[in-house]
Amino acid sequence: MRTAVLLLIYLFSSFSLISQKASHKINYKAVNFRSKPDMRSNRIGVLFLDAQVRLIKETDVRKLSEQDGKKYAWCLIEDIETKIQGYIYGKYISKIVTVANIQSNKKNDMVRSPKFYVLSIGMSDYSPAQKDKGVEATRYSDEDAYRFARAYKDAEIFLLRNEEATITAVQQISAELLHQMYDFDVLLIYYSGQAMDNKIHLYDSDLDIDKWLNEMININRTVKKIVFFETSNANIDLYSSSDTEAMSELLKMQASHLSLFSSCKPLSHSYESEVFQAGVFTNYISMGLKGFADADMNNMVTYGELVSYVKKHVGRYVDTQYSKAQEPIIAGNQFIDLPLKQL
């Protein structure tokens, strides 16, 4: 009888621990915890970035987010640390995922590969308003974007070229992808086109690079984000000053899980090649992802291998063909060992 009682106690305790396990975490720096699903309700407290919570239920109350144009449900949650229950706006929680999918057909056990999401943007044409401002189209940029996207046939791909690449489309798609991605996924963003004064030229308007990066960091800090720029004259240094010094400092502090790989140094030139029918930088990215960058020949191209390969060959080709200098640069986190392509 005593054994049976102890067993029941053990089972009940185990069930309680399981039921109280965190299912989500806070994805914003500080979020108000409220007594009702309403911004005007009493504030119970504040939950900070990465605080673990348990989702009890999603309510039927939804609110439109002005930042990304999506509606999110108010959620009843429990703070794992304090056991306090209350309501939080669904935009500010992300699901915690444990990767347990083991590939049994491999000799060595491997954790499931991350899922890649690709947003590829190419600008070989601009709106009349942009042209009136002096924005000139590059010859191969739309094809460059297609080449980059084609390297990731099995990924979830969004290809925006010319009139498709409006500022609204770019901001909405990048935000929506980051909201749906898990911690171990990878977002690859590629842009080929004109840029000036820390802004990339999209079809209908200009997008401030620092602000865009900051928006993406705030939406999802844990997903690894790599942004490729094939463009001339853009100061894309992650630590460059934008509108204010505060913005620059914020990017410095929040650079975690963000890497930028640019075709050239700020305010210098990025060359296109008639031989390649592409930007030189993009051509070598494409070749690198096909396997030419696999330095250790293990049938896997890592980000570090791709960067080394592209920098070496772009500089050599431009020097040989044009007697000019072009030096691709990397900023932010480098993710040297991050697998980019299984061959």
Side-chain angles (χ1 to χ4, degrees):
M1 180 68 179
R2 181 173 179 274
T3 303
V5 171
L6 288 173
L7 180 59
L8 285 171
I9 292 172
Y10 171 78
L11 290 173
F12 179 78
S13 301
S14 299
F15 177 77
S16 297
L17 287 172
I18 292 171
S19 67
Q20 301 304 313
K21 187 177 179 181
S23 61
H24 290 68
K25 63 182 178 180
I26 302 300
N27 62 24
Y28 197 66
K29 52 191 172 184
V31 182
N32 288 322
F33 198 29
R34 298 190 179 275
S35 60
K36 295 179 180 179
D38 191 323
M39 288 290 189
R40 296 164 295 183
S41 63
N42 294 331
R43 189 179 71 172
I44 298 173
V46 178
L47 295 173
F48 295 98
L49 179 65
D50 291 332
Q52 296 194 345
V53 300
R54 179 173 66 91
L55 176 64
I56 299 172
K57 69 173 182 178
E58 284 191 4
T59 71
D60 294 330
V61 181
R62 293 182 175 270
K63 179 178 179 295
L64 181 68
S65 168
E66 294 181 358
Q67 288 184 326
D68 58 21
K70 293 178 65 178
K71 284 188 175 182
Y72 295 88
W74 278 89
C75 299
L76 176 60
I77 63 167
E78 179 182 75
D79 178 14
I80 294 298
E81 184 177 353
T82 65
K83 308 301 180 188
I84 296 174
Q85 295 185 2
Y87 292 89
I88 193 169
Y89 187 34
K91 179 179 179 178
Y92 299 123
I93 58 174
S94 295
K95 189 174 182 180
I96 297 173
V97 179
T98 303
V99 183
N101 181 18
I102 307 301
Q103 297 178 347
S104 58
N105 61 335
K106 299 290 183 182
K107 290 183 179 179
N108 299 319
D109 288 344
M110 295 174 63
V111 177
R112 106 137 161 80
S113 298
K115 183 174 180 180
F116 284 86
Y117 293 78
V118 176
L119 171 56
S120 192
I121 307 160
M123 304 305 306
S124 289
D125 190 23
Y126 291 95
S127 67
Q130 288 287 71
K131 291 176 182 176
D132 288 344
K133 294 193 302 184
V135 179
E136 296 180 358
T138 50
R139 188 172 178 184
Y140 301 118
S141 286
D142 53 357
E143 180 62 23
D144 284 346
Y146 175 71
R147 282 194 184 200
F148 186 86
R150 190 173 56 186
Y152 284 93
K153 293 183 295 184
D154 298 328
E156 188 163 336
I157 298 170
F158 291 83
L159 178 61
L160 300 178
R161 296 189 291 180
N162 303 326
E163 68 275 5
E164 300 167 336
T166 64
I167 190 168
T168 299
V170 169
Q171 288 180 310
Q172 284 189 348
I173 290 173
S174 57
E176 287 173 7
L177 289 177
L178 286 166
H179 277 300
Q180 74 184 54
M181 293 170 70
Y182 293 132
D183 292 355
F184 53 86
D185 291 331
V186 179
L187 175 61
L188 303 177
I189 296 178
Y190 172 89
Y191 172 83
S192 179
Q194 293 287 11
M196 185 65 72
D197 298 330
N198 226 32
K199 296 177 180 179
I200 55 174
H201 298 311
L202 297 174
Y203 184 75
D204 58 342
S205 187
D206 296 341
L207 180 58
D208 186 284
I209 295 170
D210 279 354
K211 287 184 178 180
W212 185 35
L213 297 177
N214 186 38
E215 287 170 2
M216 289 193 285
I217 291 169
N218 281 334
I219 291 169
N220 195 327
R221 291 175 174 81
T222 55
V223 164
K224 289 183 174 65
K225 298 165 281 289
I226 301 177
V227 186
F228 298 84
F229 287 101
E230 169 83 82
T231 184
S232 303
N233 301 321
N235 184 359
I236 57 84
D237 185 353
L238 182 65
Y239 305 139
S240 66
S241 179
S242 181
D243 290 344
T244 64
E245 254 182 68
M247 171 85 62
S248 179
E249 289 302 311
L250 186 63
L251 286 171
K252 287 182 185 180
M253 290 187 295
Q254 297 180 347
S256 179
H257 299 134
L258 173 65
S259 183
L260 310 180
F261 191 24
S262 175
S263 59
C264 60
K265 288 182 175 180
L267 307 180
S268 59
H269 193 70
S270 185
Y271 288 87
E272 293 186 306
S273 167
E274 288 190 9
V275 175
F276 299 146
Q277 299 283 289
V280 176
F281 177 71
T282 300
N283 175 72
Y284 283 111
I285 286 178
S286 178
M287 291 179 66
L289 291 173
K290 287 178 180 177
F292 289 93
D294 184 16
D296 57 8
M297 294 185 291
N298 66 345
N299 294 318
M300 176 69 75
V301 177
T302 66
Y303 185 41
E305 287 176 323
L306 182 67
V307 169
S308 297
Y309 173 82
V310 171
K311 291 180 73 171
K312 175 183 176 181
H313 287 277
V314 167
R316 179 185 295 172
Y317 184 87
V318 171
D319 179 47
T320 302
Q321 298 298 317
Y322 308 119
S323 299
K324 301 289 184 180
Q326 181 178 334
E327 182 183 348
I329 59 170
I330 185 171
N333 299 130
Q334 298 195 16
F335 310 138
I336 294 301
D337 297 322
L338 176 68
L340 281 190
K341 187 72 179 291
Q342 178 76 52
L343 301 175

